[in-house]
Amino acid sequence: MKACCREAMNHDEPEKKSWLQRLAIRWKVHSIVQVILILFTFALGGSLCAFIAGKILPLLNIEQGLLRTILYLLLVTLLWPVCVLLISIPFGQFAFFRKYLAKMGRRMSGKKKKPDLTE
């Protein structure tokens, strides 16, 4: 079979995208490198959040139990956005996470995004 025929036959099949490419499309970012930086930011921000919450909890002098677990979860929930934003600055992803957290806040509060009339 001629090369041009093979190319025509393969051209009809949609190109399979990697999971990193699909994330780039979903998050509306321009490169795979940016997706990797975002994933690192999520990982380091979450780890920092858990570390800080683990250091704060003993200061509250609450013994093991349900109250301690609830406080830990509350601390993690409140600290996570701050930690992710702080970690995003050196990775150059602050704008992405600011938009991401605003979108997450709107979803949690049930508010819809106001239409942008300047476009």
Side-chain angles (χ1 to χ4, degrees), residues 49 52-57 60 68-81:
C49 172
I52 292 172
K55 293 293 183 183
I56 292 173
L57 215 51
L60 301 175
R68 185 178 175 95
T69 303
I70 290 170
L71 283 174
Y72 179 78
L73 292 174
L74 184 64
L75 277 171
V76 167
T77 302
L78 295 174
L79 288 172
W80 184 80

Side-chain angles (χ1 to χ4, degrees), residues 87-107:
I87 295 293
S88 71
I89 294 169
F91 283 111
Q93 301 305 314
F94 183 79
F96 171 83
F97 280 96
R98 187 182 64 225
K99 290 177 192 172
Y100 180 86
L101 291 172
K103 183 177 180 181
M104 194 169 74
R106 282 192 306 274
R107 285 183 177 176

Side-chain angles (χ1 to χ4, degrees), residues 3 13 20 26-27 30 36 41-42 60 74 95 102-103 107:
E13 295 177 18
L20 289 172
R26 181 178 184 152
W27 288 340
H30 303 293
I36 292 169
T41 303
F42 272 120
L60 301 175
L74 184 64
K103 183 177 180 181
R107 285 183 177 176

Side-chain angles (χ1 to χ4, degrees), residues 14-36 38-39:
E15 184 181 331
K16 301 221 181 212
K17 296 188 183 332
S18 73
W19 62 277
L20 289 172
Q21 291 170 322
R22 290 192 306 266
L23 277 177
I25 292 166
R26 181 178 184 152
W27 288 340
K28 298 176 184 155
V29 296
H30 303 293
S31 70
I32 300 300
V33 172
Q34 192 174 3
V35 172
I36 292 169
I38 290 168
L39 292 173

